[in-house]
Amino acid sequence: MKNKNFIYLFIFSAIVILAAEFIGIKVIMVGKIRISLLPLVFALGITMIFAIKVFRKGIFQKVYSKENVKFAGKYLIIIMLPLMARYGADVAPKLKDILSIGWIFLVQETGNLGTVILGLPVAILLGLKREAIGATLGLGREGELAYISEKYTLNSPEGEGVLAIYIFGTLFGALFFSIVAPLFTSLGLSPEALAIASGMGSASMMTGASSSLVAVYPHLEKTIRAYAAASQLLTSFIGTFTMVFLAVPLQKFIYSKLVKEEKNGK
Amino acid sequence: MENNKKKEYIKIMSTLIMSLLLILFTQWIKLLKNPKSTPITIETLTGLIILGIFSVLGIFIHSAVQKFPFKIIKDFPILGWVSMVSLAGCLISPQVIKAINSVDFLSITTPILTYAGISIADRLGDLRKVSWKIVIVGIFVFLGTYLGSAILAEIGFLLSGK
């Protein structure tokens, strides 16, 4: 390897893992709600804190060198492969279970339209216009990014919207879902349903959401992981179709209604 | 060209090996902290090697299908191929499942999020450009997809009486 700073990155990552694992699982009680913070959250937190410009001096400048940050971004997908391979062992023993309620997995895919139903009115309420189209089409992952850039280019307001959600999700997605997912059990949603919802098309967000569910329901570990992984696989198969054939028309419909009503209101 | 491709593959393979080593390292740290956590045995090492093999197979399938004329198959992510290869492998042999299960799940996730944190280092500044409005919209968008799916799944469970 030509990158001479790589060794700093490697050692730094080992130290971060060491620190995160020694912090371990921390449980915070907010009222009656348990929030479990897993080592993965601390690992993410530590690396993000040291990434702040103030800290990037001396050795940290070498750790966070341009090549290293680029490497982490480009090859993160490769680092994730063993995780994906791990899911086979969760899904295979539960395959019969999963197939017996297969239609639930299919139906809940349309739940991804929630980005439009819940997000779009809020965006318009806040005064966003065409940016709202890009921002609420979906989770703002690669699929939406590709669709928006093909249709509107990334320099358009729509493009700005989708890029903003992309950045927001990259920075906080895993963290957000690892905290929020267990909270919904207090709304009366079952851990099984929340596990299925965790497979939403981003591997890191699914990991955050399903791992923190497991921390709350350790006895359901196998089921939670299997459902999340199966749902994730399904999303990567039919996610594009749901977006193009359902989310886009629905978004157009709601957008034209809301923006018109606003004009009339004035 | 050919040479570049070879270099890229070498880089991918060494990254994969690094990932597997970090998983082993994490599991070892977990053991130091809590001797009752998942032990490291021959089974664990076998499991890690199997995870590596499944990953490599997924990479190969992904690059092989690039010659296919169907966009949906070409665009299907490597991550998806790897989970399918792994699912097939685990259905064929219970030994494979046993080996993989001796690799602690959370030990796989800590290294990933470590590198995820580093990968976004240079984009933290972008957050200032993204106004607070987008952050609020983002929260509702994220809640929307999660709640939408969870509620539909819950209704499905109720209807099927489970």
Side-chain angles (χ1 to χ4, degrees):
Chain A
M1 288 217 182
K2 267 190 223 149
N3 180 1
K4 59 181 190 315
N5 284 328
F6 182 78
I7 187 73
Y8 294 101
L9 174 69
F10 185 70
I11 294 171
F12 176 69
S13 65
I15 295 170
V16 170
I17 291 169
L18 185 81
E21 289 299 338
F22 265 89
I23 299 171
I25 300 175
K26 289 270 173 275
V27 177
I28 303 175
M29 297 296 289
V30 180
K32 274 185 187 165
I33 301 164
R34 278 170 67 99
I35 301 176
S36 313
L37 297 177
L38 302 170
L40 60 99
V41 172
F42 297 117
L44 185 66
I46 296 168
T47 48
M48 274 168 66
I49 288 170
F50 281 108
I52 298 171
K53 286 237 156 68
V54 194
F55 291 109
R56 286 215 232 169
K57 279 168 197 144
I59 198 137
F60 290 113
Q61 205 171 0
K62 287 181 177 165
V63 170
Y64 286 95
S65 75
K66 229 182 188 156
E67 294 92 357
N68 282 346
V69 172
K70 216 178 124 195
F71 166 83
K74 190 173 168 205
Y75 290 95
L76 185 62
I77 183 163
I78 304 296
I79 297 174
M80 274 188 172
L81 291 181
L83 175 68
M84 292 300 125
R86 176 74 168 70
Y87 283 119
D90 293 325
V91 176
K94 293 264 174 192
L95 196 63
K96 245 182 151 176
D97 254 15
I98 290 169
L99 290 179
S100 75
I101 53 162
W103 64 276
I104 298 182
F105 281 86
L106 272 173
V107 167
Q108 63 84 31
E109 277 299 318
T110 56
N112 294 337
L113 298 178
T115 60
V116 179
I117 295 167
L118 205 59
L120 190 56
V122 172
I124 289 171
L125 207 69
L126 287 171
L128 297 183
K129 288 274 146 67
R130 283 170 56 202
E131 293 86 354
I133 300 275
T136 64
L137 183 57
L139 272 183
R141 295 295 87 203
E142 282 71 12
E144 285 87 20
L145 214 56
Y147 178 83
I148 294 286
S149 61
E150 200 179 314
K151 205 155 178 203
Y152 304 96
T153 78
L154 285 182
N155 297 322
S156 64
E158 288 87 349
E160 263 168 50
V162 75
L163 270 178
I165 292 298
Y166 178 80
I167 294 165
F168 174 74
T170 312
L171 292 177
F172 298 115
L175 198 65
F176 180 82
F177 282 114
S178 74
I179 293 169
V180 148
L183 297 186
F184 285 123
T185 54
S186 57
L187 287 181
L189 290 163
S190 65
E192 287 88 353
L194 291 170
I196 292 177
S198 303
M200 53 207 142
S202 151
S204 62
M205 293 182 208
M206 172 192 63
T207 310
S210 58
S211 301
S212 62
L213 278 178
V214 170
V216 183
Y217 300 97
H219 60 290
L220 290 174
E221 180 174 355
K222 291 259 148 73
T223 307
I224 290 172
R225 277 201 202 123
Y227 283 6
S231 163
Q232 174 83 1
L233 195 58
L234 195 68
T235 305
S236 51
F237 259 125
I238 65 173
T240 319
F241 292 104
T242 330
M243 173 179 72
V244 175
F245 294 113
L246 296 174
V248 170
L250 179 72
Q251 196 179 40
K252 269 194 188 137
F253 176 75
I254 298 182
Y255 186 82
S256 66
K257 285 263 163 199
L258 287 178
V259 173
K260 230 181 244 159
E261 269 169 26
E262 215 177 47
K263 268 183 202 156
N264 291 343
K266 277 174 196 167
Chain B
M1 207 52 201
E2 199 55 11
N3 216 355
N4 267 345
K5 223 175 186 179
K6 213 169 148 195
K7 259 190 199 158
E8 182 64 20
Y9 271 116
I10 292 174
K11 218 167 168 190
I12 287 176
M13 294 308 152
S14 30
T15 308
L16 192 57
I17 291 169
M18 179 188 85
S19 174
L20 294 171
L21 286 177
L22 285 175
I23 295 168
L24 188 63
F25 174 72
T26 313
Q27 191 162 338
W28 179 61
I29 303 289
K30 268 196 204 301
L31 266 179
L32 285 186
K33 193 178 180 235
N34 173 15
K36 275 187 230 149
S37 62
T38 320
I40 294 175
T41 59
I42 292 291
E43 202 85 289
T44 315
L45 300 179
T46 319
L48 282 170
I49 292 168
I50 292 174
L51 293 180
I53 294 171
F54 286 167
S55 306
V56 172
L57 286 176
I59 294 170
F60 281 145
I61 294 176
H62 180 78
S63 59
V65 298
Q66 291 312 310
K67 294 192 184 87
F68 275 49
F70 309 108
K71 197 165 180 292
I72 179 107
I73 295 185
K74 271 203 250 180
D75 287 351
F76 194 64
I78 299 184
L79 297 174
W81 287 121
V82 172
S83 17
M84 289 211 298
V85 168
S86 156
L87 181 57
C90 289
L91 284 174
I92 292 168
S93 158
Q95 263 86 23
V96 170
I97 299 181
K98 216 179 138 211
I100 292 181
N101 274 332
S102 59
V103 180
D104 175 62
F105 179 84
L106 283 177
S107 299
I108 303 180
T109 60
T110 313
I112 291 175
L113 273 289
T114 305
Y115 279 85
I118 294 164
S119 75
I120 56 182
D122 286 344
R123 279 194 247 149
L124 283 170
D126 292 344
L127 197 68
R128 255 176 293 148
K129 278 186 249 157
V130 177
S131 81
W132 58 272
K133 282 182 183 174
I134 278 290
V135 172
I136 294 174
V137 172
I139 290 171
F140 280 94
V141 163
F142 280 34
L143 286 179
T145 182
Y146 197 68
L147 265 183
S149 298
I151 290 170
L152 288 178
E154 189 70 55
I155 293 171
F157 278 121
L158 286 177
L159 290 179
S160 66
K162 291 210 177 187

